[in-house]
Amino acid sequence: KGAKFLVAIQSRDDNLARYLERSGIPFVLLDGAAAYPGAGIGGHWTPKGHGFVAERIFKLLAENNIVGR
C-alpha cells in the first residue's frame, strides 16, 4: 500500500550499512551528532546534536518523497 522502510543508524555499523545498501533500503548515518560527555548523561544529544540529526533525517525523508523540501 505504498509503505516505505527507512533506517537511521545511530552508531557506526559498517556491516549493517553494507547490508542496507545491498538490499536497496534507504538509510542515514547519525554518527557525529554532538552528545553530552560522560556516562551519567547516557549519551544524549546536545541541542546542536539534535539539529544535526533532524537535518539528516529530514534529508532522508525528502529524498524518499516522504516530505517536501
Side-chain angles (χ1 to χ4, degrees):
K1 300 199 179 204
K4 293 185 180 183
F5 181 68
L6 301 103
V7 175
I9 303 174
Q10 187 170 347
S11 300
R12 186 162 193 87
D13 187 331
D14 293 333
N15 289 331
L16 177 57
R18 280 192 295 274
Y19 172 80
L20 295 170
E21 285 174 352
R22 281 193 317 266
S23 302
I25 298 170
F27 69 97
V28 64
L29 300 173
L30 303 178
D31 58 333
Y36 292 105
I41 303 293
H44 293 281
W45 295 317
T46 63
K48 188 174 184 176
H50 277 279
F52 174 89
V53 167
E55 287 177 17
R56 292 249 175 130
I57 290 176
F58 184 82
K59 183 178 179 204
L60 174 69
L61 295 174
E63 288 172 346
N64 288 278
N65 301 312
I66 306 294
V67 297
R69 291 183 187 250

